[in-house]
Each structure stands twice: as structure tokens, then as C-alpha cells.
Amino acid sequence: MMKTTNSSAAIDPKALAQTTVYSILFTISFTHLLNDMMQSVIPAIYPLMKDNFQLSFTEIGLITFTFQVTASLLQPFVGHFTDKTPRPYSLAIGMSFTLAGLISLAFASSFIAILISVSLIGMGSSVFHPESSRVAHLASGGKKGLAQSIFQLGGNAGAAIGPLLAALIVVPYGQFNIIWFAFIAILGIIVLFRVGTWYKGHLISKSKNKTVAVPANHKALSKTKVITSLGILLVLIFSKYFYMASMSSYFTFYLIDKFHVTVQQSQIYLFIFLASVAAGTLLGGALGDRFGRKYIIWISILGAAPFTLLLPYANLFWCGVLSVIIGLIMSSAFSAILVYATELVPGKVGMIAGLFFGFAFGMGGLGSAVLGKLADITSVGYVFKVCAFLPLIGFVTGFLPNIEQTKKAAASA
């Protein structure tokens, strides 16, 4: 699978940049699956932790907030640093933090110990996402939307599988069984070491040809316009991930409270939602490459609004159906947003990926904490009624420039 490693130094960088290295894309997608599978164990065991440690919804929200903040704050700095001085084996090192966090979480005996454990897992994520996004970009061969979608597909699939495995392994048998996920982290370290070897070979090949220029796609856009566009994209990330926080952290509680399903049954509904998110992710990047990222961003945020508004009033069956539709539509946004942002600021893939992954995680963590407090004050059902309006923020997509047209105009000038 990794045969490109040994010969990469002999490949012309220009030819390499035009070749889509699917073996690397699917390998990095697989490690994203492992990474997010392990991370998704955290919200999946919330009902168990809530009972074991007598936690409030506010404390549940603080667990997510701690994880998301440690996962988000470091990402732009990691990305900015590695833009200047790439570190191919940092991916394996980051996964080692996740391994330490999982072992610590399996043995955690207090609320503080839980917070320390999830912060270690968050630190692993802060290294993994910007660097693995860079690897996907390098292996894209110009198909940047497709490459990000393949990469994101792994993460979303892992996020879907994680709660299902937690329902089968951890919830019935207890907290200590989180230790089984540590073996997944060890597998991830091994695979990422191999990816790091390919990455190192790519850098060596690139360094031998200094004539490969950094693309400057959008000189026609002013600095103010670029900054404004990045701000709009971050607002859209806020809308998406605040809503996703309500689903990932509180959907199980909502189903248990309103429909009196068991914890295991609620996890199955969460798995169905997250599986639809994984499916929608792959479509978003490919469609963005073909039809334009602005249109995909618009549809994926604003288009989810009718279904989020219906969800709080649906019965159990339609709640499941609507969650699938919401997952399919809303999940197509992130790959398109990320690639759009990297095209606005070419040559800064690590920093942009770190900024957007970090902001997404931060908004997810803040959303979970705020919504947990709101659930304590009111009810979980009220949380979903409030969050239903968030996708309406998608109307601000109309203020984004059509960068595909800008590229064509620059090329013809």
C-alpha cells in the first residue's frame, strides 16, 4: 500500500503534484477513522459517566468543552509551525497523546481525572488534523475537494462507528473497557509512522526542485475581501458545529427523555445519524470540485434548516429519518469550506486547516457547554428547539465571492 515511499525521492515534484496518490489518501483517511473513532468514545459514554459520577448536564458540557478546547487552541499554531518546518513524524507523536488519554480515561476515578484524560486526547487531535490535512493536500494531485472528502470520510465514519462500539463494549461492561480502544491507538501510531515516511520522501523530492512555485490563485481579491470571506466561513462553521454539538452530545439524552428508549437504542440512533454524516461528507467535496464550492456551502448549511425545524416535533420514526437527512445535507459543508479557505490563502494549508479544524472543535466544545447549561435550566427538548434555527445563518454564504470565476478571470488576463 505504501510502495510510493521508496521511490518518492526520484519523482519529479511537478509530476507528483499532478498525480493523485490514492494509496496515501485512503491510508490517511483510515487513520482519521481510527482517530475520530477513539475520540467519539467520549460523548458515547456520557450516559455511563453521568450515572457513575453523578454528573450534571453542565459537567457533561464541561467535559466536551475541555476536550474541544485542547483540540482546538493548539491547531492553528501547529499548522503555522509546520507550514514553515514540516515534521513528518509528528502524526505518530500526536496519536501517542491519544493513547495516553484513553488509558487514563479507562482508569479515571474522579471528574478532574476525566478532564485530564480528555485533554490528552484533545492534544493528540490538535496535532493530527492540521498535519493530516496537509498530507491529503499533497496527495490530492489537484483534486483538492475530493481529497478532503476522502480524508473527512474516514473521520466521520470513525465518529459513527465509535459510539456503536462503545455501546457494545463499554456501556454494558463498564468504564475500564475503554482500554480496548488503546490498541486501536497503537495501530494508528504504526500506520502514521509509515505515512510519515512517505511524507518525508515527498519533502525530500520537493526540496530537490526549488522551481515549484506556490500558487497565487486570487490576486484579484483584496486583502480586506479575503479576511472578510474567512470571517464569513468561520460564522458558517459556528452555525454548523453548534448544531452538530446538540446532536453529538445530547441526541441520545433527547431520545431517552422524550421516547424512553434504552441507552443502547439511543446509541444506535446516534450511529445512524453519524453514518449519514459520513456519507454526505464524500459527496460534498466531489460536488464542490465539479459545481463550485460556494453553492455546496450554501446548500449544505441553509438547506438543512427545514429539517432541523421539524425535528423537535417529530415522532421517534421521523426523528430518525430527519436526522439522516440533516446529517447528509449538513456534512457536505466542511470539505467545501476548508478547500475554499485554502484557495483564498494559497500556500498556508497547515495554518488554514489548523484554524478551521480548531475553530470547528472549539465551537463544538463551547456549544456543548452552553447547551448543557441550557438543558439544566430548561430541558433537552428545549435545546433542540433553539438549535433548530442555527442553519438559517447559512444565508451569509451569499456574501462570499465566486472564486471559481475569479480564477478564470485571472487566467485569461
Side-chain angles (χ1 to χ4, degrees):
M1 181 170 61
M2 308 292 289
K3 291 181 179 179
T4 54
T5 300
N6 295 330
S7 61
S8 59
I11 298 175
D12 177 21
K14 291 182 179 179
L16 188 61
Q18 296 170 357
T19 303
T20 305
V21 189
Y22 286 103
S23 62
I24 293 297
L25 287 179
F26 283 106
T27 301
I28 202 69
S29 179
F30 173 67
T31 58
H32 200 185
L33 182 149
L34 299 182
N35 184 79
D36 285 24
M37 179 196 301
M38 292 180 288
Q39 291 179 7
S40 67
V41 170
I42 298 171
I45 61 172
Y46 281 167
L48 177 67
M49 291 294 191
K50 190 174 189 297
D51 291 339
N52 288 352
F53 295 93
Q54 299 299 303
L55 303 178
S56 66
F57 281 119
T58 300
E59 289 171 319
I60 292 290
L62 284 174
I63 294 173
T64 303
F65 179 73
T66 300
F67 164 68
Q68 301 284 32
V69 165
T70 54
S72 63
L73 289 182
L74 294 176
Q75 286 201 40
F77 299 103
V78 171
H80 179 67
F81 176 74
T82 54
D83 277 334
K84 295 182 177 180
T85 54
R87 293 290 187 268
Y89 296 106
S90 61
L91 286 165
I93 295 171
M95 189 66 76
S96 299
F97 280 97
T98 300
L99 172 62
L102 288 167
I103 295 172
S104 176
L105 188 60
F107 289 95
S109 58
S110 67
F111 180 63
I112 297 299
I114 293 172
L115 294 182
I116 293 172
S117 301
V118 300
S119 67
L120 286 170
I121 298 172
M123 290 172 66
S125 179
S126 70
V127 176
F128 176 82
H129 284 96
E131 275 296 87
S132 53
S133 287
R134 181 199 304 283
V135 171
H137 179 83
L138 293 175
S140 69
K143 299 177 182 178
K144 292 180 282 188
L146 177 63
Q148 277 299 323
S149 288
I150 292 173
F151 171 62
Q152 288 297 328
L153 176 65
N156 288 332
I161 295 170
L164 190 62
L165 291 179
L168 296 173
I169 298 171
V170 181
V171 174
Y173 303 109
Q175 175 187 340
F176 177 74
N177 287 275
I178 294 171
I179 201 73
W180 292 106
F181 289 89
F183 293 101
I184 297 174
I186 293 171
L187 173 62
I189 291 169
I190 295 170
V191 176
L192 285 172
F193 186 85
R194 298 291 303 278
V195 171
T197 302
W198 177 87
Y199 186 5
K200 182 179 179 181
H202 185 100
L203 292 174
I204 292 171
S205 178
K206 185 177 178 181
S207 68
K208 290 182 177 180
N209 190 329
K210 303 292 187 181
T211 62
V212 179
V214 174
N217 293 334
H218 302 298
K219 289 184 177 179
L221 294 179
S222 67
K223 184 177 180 180
T224 301
K225 188 65 173 178
V226 170
I227 293 173
T228 302
S229 298
L230 290 174
I232 292 171
L233 294 176
L234 290 174
V235 169
L236 295 172
I237 290 289
F238 158 79
S239 169
K240 170 181 164 61
Y241 279 90
F242 243 69
Y243 187 84
M244 293 296 282
S246 71
M247 295 296 288
S248 61
S249 293
Y250 301 109
F251 192 44
T252 53
F253 292 111
Y254 174 75
L255 295 175
I256 292 169
D257 179 68
K258 185 171 182 178
F259 302 110
H260 309 292
V261 299
T262 66
V263 172
Q264 285 86 353
Q265 287 172 330
S266 70
Q267 294 288 6
I268 292 172
Y269 277 92
L270 180 60
F271 166 75
I272 292 171
F273 166 72
L274 294 174
S276 69
V277 169
T281 298
L282 188 60
L283 293 173
L287 292 174
D289 282 339
R290 182 169 183 179
F291 298 108
R293 300 183 219 292
K294 178 177 176 179
Y295 302 109
I296 299 303
I297 294 169
W298 206 329
I299 293 170
S300 64
I301 302 293
L302 193 60
F307 307 102
T308 60
L309 290 167
L310 285 172
L311 183 67
Y313 306 98
N315 60 27
L316 181 60
F317 170 79
W318 283 107
C319 200
V321 172
L322 289 170
S323 71
V324 169
I325 297 171
I326 292 166
L328 283 170
I329 296 175
M330 195 171 283
S331 61
S332 61
F334 190 78
S335 294
I337 288 173
L338 184 58
V339 175
Y340 186 102
T342 60
E343 291 183 342
L344 284 172
V345 190
K348 300 289 184 181
V349 176
M351 185 187 72
I352 292 297
L355 173 64
F356 277 82
F357 273 110
F359 190 76
F361 280 25
M363 287 300 98
L366 180 62
S368 183
V370 170
L371 297 176
K373 184 65 175 178
L374 183 61
D376 280 333
I377 296 173
T378 56
S379 67
V380 177
Y382 183 75
V383 165
F384 278 83
K385 290 179 180 179
V386 171
C387 289
F389 293 92
L390 286 172
L392 294 175
I393 295 175
F395 81 90
V396 300
T397 305
F399 297 102
L400 290 173
N402 293 312
I403 58 176
E404 284 83 7
Q405 294 179 6
T406 303
K407 287 168 67 177
K408 291 178 182 177
S412 60

